[in-house]
Amino acid sequence: MTRPLPSYPSTRPGSAREAAGEPAPITPHHIAHRGGAENPSVAALRERFGAAIVRAHVMWGETTVIVAADAIHDLIAFLRDEPAHAYNYLVDVTAVEYRDAEQPMELVWHLRSLPWQRFLRLKVEIPKGEPLVAPSITDLYASADWLERECFDMFGVTFTGHPDLRRILMWDTYREGHPLRKDFPLRGRFSRSEQLTQALSIDTVGRYSMTELTIAEAFDDLPADMRERLAERRAAELARSTRTLDAGDDA
Amino acid sequence: MGLITTGERTVVRAPEPTGSTQDSWVTSRLDFLVNWARSSSMWPMPFGTACCAIEFMATAASRYDLARFGMERLSFSPRQADVLICAGRVPYKLAPVLRRIYQQMPQPKWVISMGACASSGGMFDNYAVVQGIDTIIPVDVYVPGCPPRPEALMYAILMLHKKVQTERLRDGARHTEIEPDPQSHLYIPPSRIDELSEPFGNSVHQTRSAP
Amino acid sequence: MSRRTIEMAVGTSGVDQFGRPMRAPLAVRGNGALVLEAPPEPELEGDHMLINIGPQHPATHGVLRLVLELDGETVVRCVPHIGYLHCGFEKIGEYRQYNQIIPWTDREDYLNSIGNNVAFVLGCERLFGIEITPRCTVLRVIAMEMSRIMSHLVWMGTTCIDIGAFTPFLWLYQERENLYNLLEGWVGARLTTSATRVGGMAAEVPDGWMDGLKAFIRGFPKTLDEADRMLARNGIWMGRTVGIGALSADEAINYGLSGAMLRASGVAYDVRKDVPYLDYETYDFDVPVGTQGDVYDRYLVRVEEMRQSIRILEQAVQRLPDGPLNVDDPRVILPPKTRATSQMESMIHHFKLVMEGPRPPIGEVYVPVESPKGEKGYYLVSDGTSKPVRWRIRPPAFVNLSAIPRMVEGHLLSDVIAINASIDIVMGEIDR
């Protein structure tokens, strides 16, 4: 996380809500399916980002905002940094692919504001056939690191700007695909014996160079900007570790 | 639908037993002594992955107490272990680790496959889970259950003791390391693995994602 | 901070005339921790060492692999590798009806099975738009608090073993056996309970069960106090845990930590208070919050949470109302067996519910609960069919574990084990 942490009047959960005089939260009963009170942050988002907000709806008491892909990073940064919204807690980053081929795939971010005790769901729709790319928010939340890696592993979504986007649940050289996609069969694409053969040929020890650890074999599968960054880091590491003989050294 | 046995059985052949096939009084007493020593205090290597590992810990705790079998000394180093108790589901990512740990154990060694997931893949009939650890390592006793009760695990241990007590020293094949096929890393034929992993019963119908 | 130096009987100058370190003076910090004040070590040239812990290791609490880059015994960098227990839960959830997913929820966080059952059906019921009965609400609170105690007992037992104390493990596991007996009496299973159904519970509590629970509520605090007394002011325990793996409040929030990890760092976020469910706002309980965010504070927070769970259980047992257990909604609840075997309509109703499964309206929900590990939530997306389009488990232990590289930086190798234990990880939930 490289962006400085925001500063609010208080991060105590519920502090902003109490200061604003709103009542304490209670267990919701008899929630309406649709309709219902919209999250107050949505109005501010509409005002600030206007056209980037595709639509917003309230379902079972939860507000969902569908956002254009290029605005999502700035939108989340705004929600995090503004004390009036203070979404300082990233709950989840995930994706949903529908069975209906016409429906676009959705990338989902769940944000929570601890001071205001609010919850917001942000979505980006990616129509079928378009590249699965989204900006990474690891510079805003440290928890996004592993959550985005899992999303990449399970769905194949590339998060641009992620410092270390490699598979996290499957092994790095996993060849069958991205398991949670709807075109990925439940039992995998290969036969059981083939899956076993591939699994048993994983090198458990691996090469113990830190930058190459579990990455080297899968280097070609990594996104391009990450390959460049790794190459730079590796060059720096090589330069550090290579001893050059000075004039005074004996051979 | 029963299992169809095919002609080929093994990929690699275990060495033939040598020596005479008759037992003498000395060898049978020696067998008894060796088997008694081996079964009375088998140090388990708990390859615990999931829920079965919790039941294994409960079996080792004071209520069910594995110490009465001499097994309270859990050996997390495979070099000092006698029996590998695979407690829990084994995904494909963990398969080479299990194979390696098993190979690091010195002979004589036994394997207890604890739980439905270790024995057959259990309820996890999907892309990620090995459909039975006997496709990776040889297993001596299978314990059904999800998770098996501590009493079930103790019954399996007693079964293993009975199995050990019927072993004979002259059966060199029993405790010879099986080497897997160098290309496929498997020690049973791939067709057999595929056949054993075929879904059956309810699992066949639970493949549809939408009604 | 006041310090006393204890002069050792044998030489205390620190370094002998050859420069080798000798017995060094021990200092006692104001909070009671013993600290070894060793003389500064000479700068040694050398490579960093890479060691690998796991995935099969007694102290990793499951199949976790930690690769540590060590400078001597100090950790410079830590790279955790997970996925060794990835079993495709979320994928298979798309191929199962809502009630059929409940056994799966047992097995991901297997220390909190019944808590996961409850969390899942809370999400389902919101997706379906069902209100559960008052009796079911209180029974579910009882189930969740029992589950919290069960999980913390395992956590405490295994953490003690990791740090070196074996006996509390046996005492606490014996208490767990008492809870196992209760669960077995209620739902028939010790560990993998599958105790809930959409709209209600799998089974009613049997007669006499409440007496068993009351006996547990009476007896458990004594055992807990015994174990706590052995550890809380123990010099070795405090020396191993105070100041280890500390995270500030802001960092903890940014890392997405939840549960005892976040509360030990000083942030009083408890889903039961901040996003209430099952009428938790009507119960009288406190949320323990730490100050330093180190391993010791996490220990104190979890022990106090167990005491608060007992307090909630007492109140729940008092207020358990009579009445129906399952909601009277034919969309989700099976007809009684006698009717299903004698009336044609009931038989067809039973058949359709079992073969096709209940169908919720199109929609999505995310209902978080306070699991012993932290904020646990199931994000369910429905397209109107009986099987969810997406079953996402928000795993608290996964997000908590992602902070481990930050926490172990600069600590010793033995501290890595203590820190790992303090996160309270369950690989079944992390890898799913």
Side-chain angles (χ1 to χ4, degrees):
Chain A
M1 185 245 0
T2 53
R3 226 155 128 141
L5 286 169
S7 60
Y8 311 129
S10 164
T11 51
R12 187 173 58 81
S15 53
R17 195 172 170 148
E18 277 165 31
E22 291 171 24
I26 58 165
T27 307
H29 288 288
H30 303 286
I31 314 169
H33 183 189
R34 291 177 208 271
E38 198 181 62
N39 187 318
S41 307
V42 178
L45 286 178
R46 280 211 172 95
E47 203 187 296
R48 168 76 180 249
F49 290 93
I53 310 290
V54 175
R55 61 183 185 280
H57 61 262
V58 181
M59 166 97 63
W60 299 118
E62 296 163 18
T63 307
T64 305
V65 185
I66 312 226
V67 177
D70 45 11
I72 188 74
H73 183 272
D74 296 331
L75 204 130
I76 295 180
F78 168 75
L79 286 171
R80 188 194 81 148
D81 295 333
E82 286 294 309
H85 307 287
Y87 285 89
N88 54 351
Y89 191 79
L90 176 69
V91 176
D92 204 3
V93 179
T94 185
V96 181
E97 187 178 348
Y98 289 86
R99 293 181 183 121
D100 182 5
E102 303 291 308
Q103 230 170 328
M105 185 150 142
E106 291 170 348
L107 303 180
V108 184
W109 289 263
H110 286 159
L111 294 174
R112 187 183 295 290
S113 168
L114 294 183
W116 290 98
Q117 288 169 333
R118 286 185 195 145
F119 178 80
L120 187 65
R121 181 177 299 127
L122 298 170
K123 285 191 182 181
V124 163
E125 285 175 338
I126 300 180
K128 290 286 166 68
E130 292 206 6
L132 288 177
V133 182
S136 166
I137 52 171
T138 43
D139 57 338
L140 299 170
Y141 303 95
S143 49
D145 187 353
W146 278 23
L147 290 167
E148 287 175 358
R149 275 179 69 184
E150 188 190 333
C151 207
F152 164 70
D153 190 359
M154 292 287 115
F155 286 95
V157 180
T158 305
F159 290 92
T160 53
H162 192 285
D164 187 18
L165 196 71
R166 55 197 156 99
R167 286 188 183 266
I168 189 169
L169 296 177
M170 307 307 295
W171 60 96
D172 287 300
T173 51
Y174 185 66
R175 295 264 167 257
E176 278 182 87
H178 296 281
L180 279 174
R181 302 298 306 271
K182 287 290 191 277
D183 57 359
F184 186 94
L186 176 62
R187 298 195 175 91
R189 295 205 164 100
F190 304 152
S191 72
R192 288 292 185 198
S193 49
E194 179 58 29
Q195 287 175 336
L196 204 56
T197 303
Q198 291 204 351
L200 289 171
S201 47
I202 301 168
D203 184 8
T204 51
V205 176
R207 278 163 279 176
Y208 272 145
S209 154
M210 281 307 279
T211 27
E212 286 178 338
L213 201 65
T214 75
I215 295 180
E217 290 156 287
F219 193 73
D220 295 310
D221 296 338
L222 294 171
D225 64 337
M226 193 176 166
R227 278 209 297 273
E228 280 162 27
R229 246 175 304 126
L230 277 177
E232 280 165 32
R233 219 194 294 170
R234 180 141 158 66
E237 199 183 63
L238 276 173
R240 257 201 326 269
S241 66
T242 309
R243 283 195 56 198
T244 52
L245 287 175
D246 290 333
D249 278 358
D250 288 327
Chain B
M1 169 183 147
L3 291 175
I4 307 158
T5 50
T6 54
E8 47 174 307
R9 283 268 170 191
T10 49
V11 172
V12 291
R13 294 226 158 267
E16 297 287 339
T18 55
S20 80
T21 50
Q22 291 279 30
D23 256 333
S24 74
W25 183 85
V26 174
T27 53
S28 65
R29 288 297 97 195
L30 196 58
D31 283 335
F32 172 78
L33 200 64
V34 166
N35 292 337
W36 170 82
R38 282 177 178 174
S39 60
S40 299
S41 150
M42 279 180 162
W43 287 357
M45 215 229 64
F47 195 86
T49 49
C51 350
C52 283
I54 307 298
E55 281 297 59
F56 177 81
M57 279 155 58
T59 316
S62 40
R63 165 87 178 263
Y64 294 101
D65 197 18
L66 278 182
R68 51 179 135 175
F69 304 116
M71 292 174 80
E72 84 277 15
R73 195 274 192 191
L74 306 180
S75 165
F76 287 92
S77 162
R79 304 286 184 199
Q80 299 170 8
D82 299 307
V83 57
L84 184 146
I85 301 185
C86 184
R89 47 198 188 249
V90 176
Y92 283 113
K93 190 167 176 178
L94 196 59
V97 176
L98 177 60
R99 168 69 72 81
R100 200 177 157 87
I101 298 278
Y102 177 75
Q103 287 172 341
Q104 285 174 344
M105 287 168 72
Q107 291 285 2
K109 56 188 173 183
W110 297 271
V111 175
I112 294 180
S113 159
M114 178 182 178
C117 299
S119 307
S120 69
M123 62 198 294
F124 296 90
D125 192 1
N126 58 27
Y127 64 91
V129 175
V130 172
Q131 300 295 296
I133 60 169
D134 50 3
T135 53
I136 314 173
I137 55 179
V139 174
D140 290 286
V141 182
Y142 300 84
V143 195
C146 193
R149 281 193 62 103
E151 288 96 331
L153 180 62
M154 293 197 296
Y155 183 69
I157 290 169
L158 290 171
M159 234 188 200
L160 183 62
H161 286 180
K162 261 210 261 260
K163 186 172 186 180
V164 170
Q165 279 151 17
T166 59
E167 287 180 1
R168 287 188 289 241
L169 278 175
R170 59 185 172 76
D171 283 342
R174 175 64 185 85
H175 287 297
T176 312
E177 197 70 32
I178 301 178
E179 292 302 323
D181 177 57
Q183 261 87 46
S184 65
H185 305 285
L186 305 170
Y187 73 99
I188 49 181
S191 55
R192 193 109 173 101
I193 293 178
D194 289 335
E195 178 197 318
L196 290 170
S197 310
E198 274 296 310
F200 62 94
N202 247 354
S203 202
V204 176
H205 301 293
Q206 286 172 348
T207 317
R208 296 174 303 146
S209 176
Chain C
M1 201 176 338
S2 66
R3 284 162 46 161
R4 299 182 277 130
T5 305
I6 302 172
E7 296 288 332
M8 300 292 286
V10 293
T12 58
S13 58
V15 232
D16 64 9
Q17 71 267 39
F18 303 113
R20 289 189 299 255
M22 291 171 61
R23 296 286 290 275
L26 291 171
V28 179
R29 287 221 197 105
N31 58 12
L34 289 169
V35 170
L36 182 71
E37 280 186 317
E41 287 196 27
E43 281 295 320
L44 294 170
E45 300 247 325
D47 289 333
H48 291 170
M49 189 168 64
L50 275 167
I51 69 159
N52 176 64
I53 303 182
Q56 188 272 326
H57 190 274
T60 51
H61 299 272
V63 282
L64 169 67
R65 180 180 179 207
L66 293 171
V67 179
L68 300 170
E69 189 182 342
L70 297 174
D71 175 17
E73 226 183 281
T74 315
V75 176
V76 171
R77 202 162 21 154
C78 167
V79 180
H81 297 270
I82 61 172
Y84 290 95
L85 202 56
H86 173 69
C87 298
F89 277 83
E90 298 182 357
K91 180 76 176 178
I92 215 161
E94 297 165 13
Y95 292 77
R96 295 285 182 272
Q97 300 164 17
Y98 289 89
N99 277 319
Q100 291 174 337
I101 296 179
I102 292 168
W104 292 79
T105 60
D106 285 329
R107 281 129 179 112
E108 21 120 6
D109 182 356
Y110 35 82
L111 298 177
N112 180 42
S113 334
I114 200 169
N116 280 2
N117 295 152
V118 173
F120 179 71
V121 293
L122 283 178
C124 287
E125 279 145 17
R126 190 164 300 177
L127 193 65
F128 278 76
I130 293 171
E131 289 290 321
I132 52 175
T133 63
R135 183 173 173 85
C136 183
T137 309
V138 178
L139 276 177
R140 284 186 184 175
V141 169
I142 291 176
M144 292 216 78
E145 295 307 318
M146 279 171 70
S147 191
R148 191 180 318 279
I149 294 174
M150 284 172 74
S151 174
H152 282 341
L153 285 174
V154 178
W155 165 80
M156 196 163 158
T158 49
T159 303
C160 288
I161 292 184
D162 285 349
I163 296 186
F166 184 70
T167 314
F169 169 79
L170 295 173
W171 296 346
L172 299 167
Y173 252 73
Q174 190 55 35
E175 287 300 325
R176 227 175 114 82
E177 288 291 334
N178 295 337
L179 283 167
Y180 274 165
N181 288 340
L182 286 172
L183 278 182
E184 207 179 357
W186 184 2
V187 295
R190 288 154 56 100
L191 190 63
T192 47
T193 48
S194 301
T196 56
R197 298 289 181 267
V198 177
M201 304 290 281
E204 183 55 271
V205 291
D207 296 330
W209 191 88
M210 274 299 154
D211 298 329
L213 182 61
K214 285 177 190 152
F216 174 79
I217 293 172
R218 271 195 310 272
F220 175 67
K222 295 193 201 79
T223 314
L224 182 62
D225 286 339
E226 217 177 330
D228 190 29
R229 232 191 343 264
M230 213 167 99
L231 300 167
R233 302 303 296 170
N234 183 311
I236 304 174
W237 183 264
M238 291 179 76
R240 286 293 303 271
T241 56
V242 172
I244 305 296
L247 279 178
S248 69
D250 285 332
E251 260 183 314
I253 296 175
N254 200 263
Y255 268 98
L257 303 187
S258 49
M261 295 280 292
L262 185 60
R263 289 194 284 278
S265 293
V267 184
Y269 173 55
D270 186 323
V271 183
R272 296 173 290 178
K273 296 277 196 196
D274 291 301
V275 194
Y277 52 97
L278 295 175
D279 299 330
Y280 261 107
E281 70 274 7
T282 58
Y283 291 84
D284 188 24
F285 68 101
D286 299 318
V287 170
V289 176
T291 46
Q292 306 294 328
D294 54 10
V295 174
Y296 187 64
D297 276 355
R298 289 170 202 150
Y299 162 79
L300 293 175
V301 164
R302 287 194 179 105
V303 169
E304 189 56 36
E305 268 177 23
M306 282 197 264
R307 296 200 176 101
Q308 296 298 320
S309 285
I310 291 287
R311 203 169 148 194
I312 299 175
L313 278 173
E314 279 166 354
Q315 294 169 52
V317 166
Q318 286 300 314
R319 69 167 74 179
L320 181 66
D322 293 322
L325 182 66
N326 296 334
V327 69
D328 184 23
D329 189 341
R331 285 184 302 159
V332 291
I333 300 294
L334 294 171
K337 205 67 173 187
T338 47
R339 261 199 264 148
T341 48
S342 57
Q343 293 177 10
M344 185 44 105
E345 293 84 8
S346 289
M347 181 179 283
I348 295 172
H349 178 203
H350 179 110
F351 182 83
K352 282 183 85 68
L353 270 181
V354 170
M355 292 307 288
E356 285 178 14
R359 283 177 225 241
I362 295 177
E364 56 192 353
V365 286
Y366 174 75
V367 179
V369 305
E370 183 70 24
S371 90
K373 315 287 179 297
E375 175 181 341
K376 177 70 170 265
Y378 290 98
Y379 174 48
L380 288 160
V381 180
S382 157
D383 59 350
T385 60
S386 60
K387 299 177 182 166
V389 166
R390 178 84 173 97
W391 172 41
R392 161 77 182 161
I393 307 164
R394 192 266 177 189
F398 178 86
V399 184
N400 290 353
L401 184 65
S402 67
I404 202 175
R406 173 70 188 84
M407 285 195 283
V408 303
E409 256 173 27
H411 286 290
L412 301 178
L413 182 56
S414 50
D415 297 331
V416 173
I417 301 300
I419 293 169
N420 189 36
S422 75
I423 308 177
D424 195 7
I425 55 170
V426 171
M427 294 313 291
E429 179 179 74
I430 293 176
D431 293 335
R432 286 152 285 127

